[in-house]
Amino acid sequence: MSLKFGTSGLRGLSSDLNGPAAALYATAFAQYLLSSGQASPGDPILLGRDFRDSSPSISAICAGALARAGLTVQDCGTVPTPALALYGLEKGAAGLMITGSHIPADRNGIKFYRPDGEIAKADEQAIGAAADAFRAQASAIDATPGQAEDHVAQAESLFLARNKAILPGDALSGLKVGVYQHSTVARDMFVEVLAHYGADVVPLGRSAEFVPVDTEAVSPATIGLLKGWASEHKLDAIVSADGDGDRPLVSDETGLPLRGDLLGLIAAQFVGATVAVTPITSNSGLERQEGLSVLRTRVGSPFVIEAMQDAARDGKTGVVGFEANGGTLTATDFMLNGTVLKALPTRDSFLPVLALLSLAAHRQRPLSSIVTDIALPVALADRIENFPLETSAALMAHLRAGMDNLSAFLKPIGTPQSVSDIDGLRVTLSDLSIIHFRPSGNAPEMRCYVEAETADKAESLLEQGLARIRAFGSQRG
């Protein structure tokens, strides 16, 4: 079976999840909540989902399993994951989000939330152990679909109210912003929130079929769409998000997508953060930003959240987190526009979008100019899809076996100067450019990240890195 916990929840083939497996993991989660005292019989538990074809069925199966476990299931519908998380924090209720995020439509997953927020790695292990115990029982898993109370309006209104209080009224007046709607659950909320602030909003590319949009490795086809729309409609920006609306996608006035870690940095500066927690894959130029202490983690929101919470417990104030995919988290409250923006320690696409657009409106300058001023190293990333997990593991084992192996592998590219092994292998070369090899945590993909002084050098480095990965895979094949 393909199902496994990765960087953000349980993921695998839809065909594996859509059936007894969904009931199994929902039951295991309910049992974990009840046995650990995080929930009592009859307590509410929330359900949300994305627009994948398999999500309604998986959601219904989970609803039935949760109800049979003794919890009161409340359906929040097709809402962004941060909206589900916010509603759960407000109610003190656990939740499940049925989503595969940005991965292809033939895959799906479940994100789990405790009453106090996103689960940690220790919770994943406990849920997995409970699932293994149920699986070992002789009786078959009951996957009968169930019903749930309708809480769509409540979850949506709470999230909209949060995002309509971040900026002053008409803060985006004068901006013409496209919203690439595709199949993200954030598509209608983005239109409503941006129009609320006075932006001239142009909805674009709405799709009835699920479109996998990876904000960390935007496909050439998507970039082509963005560039075409930017030129056709004379837009100041185009905004979007991944399937479950927790990772932002923003392009400048030319349609060029902006790096997610750049969006996170702008969001951190916008709220007045003093501590930023971010994975090792985020841009190395973050450490050069004045007034911001940067803490590095492994890739995945559980690691970012753990480090944010540690910082807050140590007495740090103004603590945010963000990932290279742009998802921005807050561990402490912030005062914005005369109101308190409550901590939301899960990835959110709306805060970084609003932070960047308000900066552009305030400075009355194009986004490309604002990006140039920040002057981070040029950073690019891409992935090789359908790269077997065992091949990824073999490649990483080979590179970690010794400096001779790593040097030989990189000989066509450059000479290693230093190596970080926080998550994957991040290698600084003798010319101070960076190349980072990392297997995906939840899909058969191998990722490559690079940084260099110029765009041409970064593009060349990325092409060479991907070529070396493919060559290794061919030798194994």
Side-chain angles (χ1 to χ4, degrees):
M1 183 171 288
S2 64
L3 300 175
K4 60 176 290 188
F5 281 99
T7 55
S8 183
L10 183 75
R11 297 269 179 86
L13 292 171
S14 300
S15 56
D16 287 342
L17 183 58
N18 192 5
L24 172 69
Y25 279 96
T27 302
F29 184 47
Q31 181 60 43
Y32 170 61
L33 292 171
L34 293 166
S35 63
S36 63
Q38 297 180 71
S40 300
D43 278 357
I45 188 165
L46 310 180
L47 262 180
R49 59 187 175 276
D50 66 16
F51 284 123
R52 292 166 194 268
D53 288 344
S54 60
S55 291
S57 175
I58 295 171
S59 180
I61 291 170
C62 288
L66 295 168
R68 287 189 292 275
L71 299 174
T72 301
V73 187
Q74 298 179 346
D75 181 24
C76 296
T78 50
V79 295
T81 293
L84 182 81
L86 180 68
Y87 191 49
L89 289 172
E90 182 79 7
K91 291 176 62 70
L96 289 80
M97 180 70 183
I98 312 304
T99 180
S101 186
H102 62 282
I103 59 179
D106 66 339
R107 298 175 178 273
N108 213 328
I110 305 176
K111 293 181 179 179
F112 300 89
Y113 285 82
R114 303 179 313 220
D116 62 345
E118 191 172 331
I119 63 170
K121 287 297 178 182
D123 301 309
E124 288 181 2
Q125 295 170 2
I127 296 165
D132 290 341
F134 283 121
R135 191 183 289 113
Q137 295 175 2
S139 57
I141 299 296
D142 186 353
T144 305
Q147 301 295 317
E149 299 175 0
D150 187 340
H151 279 246
V152 174
Q154 296 94 316
E156 288 181 348
S157 63
L158 182 67
F159 192 62
L160 285 170
R162 173 188 178 88
N163 287 292
K164 289 180 179 180
I166 290 176
L167 304 176
D170 294 331
L172 304 184
S173 179
L175 291 183
K176 189 176 185 181
V177 183
V179 174
Y180 177 27
Q181 295 195 303
H182 63 92
S183 53
T184 176
V185 292
R187 58 191 183 185
D188 293 325
M189 285 190 177
F190 264 135
V191 171
E192 182 172 343
V193 170
L194 298 181
H196 168 78
Y197 289 120
D200 179 6
V201 182
V202 182
L204 302 163
R206 192 180 184 95
S207 174
E209 297 181 357
F210 186 80
V211 179
V213 172
D214 186 349
T215 66
E216 196 171 355
V218 185
S219 70
T222 298
I223 294 174
L225 288 174
L226 299 174
K227 287 182 175 293
W229 287 327
S231 175
E232 177 186 355
H233 298 283
K234 294 180 172 48
L235 301 171
D236 295 301
I238 300 174
V239 306
S240 189
D242 63 340
D244 66 317
D246 68 346
R247 305 178 181 197
L249 173 63
V250 181
S251 79
D252 66 15
E253 73 281 1
T254 72
L256 181 67
L258 305 183
R259 287 272 307 180
D261 43 19
L262 172 68
L263 302 180
L265 171 62
I266 290 172
Q269 294 172 333
F270 170 75
V271 299
T274 57
V275 177
V277 179
T278 194
I280 189 65
T281 50
S282 292
N283 198 292
S284 64
L286 296 173
E287 275 79 1
R288 299 201 297 264
Q289 303 303 307
E290 293 184 7
L292 194 64
S293 174
V294 179
L295 306 177
R296 297 282 182 166
T297 72
R298 293 179 60 188
V299 174
S301 54
F303 301 111
V304 174
I305 292 168
E306 181 180 10
M308 288 196 309
Q309 291 173 338
D310 287 344
R313 279 192 291 266
D314 288 343
K316 299 291 193 303
T317 58
V319 181
V320 303
F322 55 86
E323 301 186 65
N325 55 46
T328 302
L329 314 86
T330 51
T332 56
D333 295 346
F334 291 91
M335 181 66 69
L336 293 176
N337 190 34
T339 62
V340 176
L341 183 74
K342 292 184 178 180
L344 182 58
T346 198
R347 283 192 301 253
D348 175 27
S349 63
F350 280 72
L351 177 60
V353 165
L354 293 175
L356 176 61
L357 293 181
S358 65
L359 181 62
H362 176 71
R363 293 187 179 178
Q364 296 186 333
R365 295 173 58 196
L367 292 186
S368 59
S369 174
I370 292 173
V371 171
T372 300
D373 287 347
I374 297 175
L376 294 177
V378 178
L380 300 174
D382 203 348
R383 68 184 188 273
I384 298 177
E385 298 180 286
N386 301 314
F387 199 82
L389 296 174
E390 59 270 19
T391 306
S392 294
L395 172 58
M396 299 311 296
H398 174 75
L399 298 180
R400 288 184 170 113
M403 187 56 72
D404 288 345
N405 284 5
L406 182 62
S407 297
F409 185 80
L410 292 175
K411 187 174 181 180
I413 301 175
T415 304
Q417 176 176 291
S418 61
V419 179
S420 169
D421 201 5
I422 291 178
D423 195 345
L425 282 178
R426 188 173 178 87
V427 184
T428 301
L429 302 175
S430 58
D431 64 356
L432 301 184
S433 60
I434 292 173
I435 187 164
H436 183 175
F437 303 105
R438 176 182 164 270
S440 171
N442 46 41
E445 300 173 351
M446 189 70 192
R447 293 181 179 267
C448 182
Y449 312 81
V450 301
E451 288 184 25
E453 292 181 0
T454 67
D456 288 345
K457 180 66 184 294
E459 289 171 2
S460 175
L461 188 57
L462 182 59
E463 290 176 3
Q464 293 177 82
L466 293 171
R468 297 302 295 145
I469 296 171
R470 292 190 185 98
F472 183 90
S474 297
Q475 294 170 4
R476 293 278 299 182

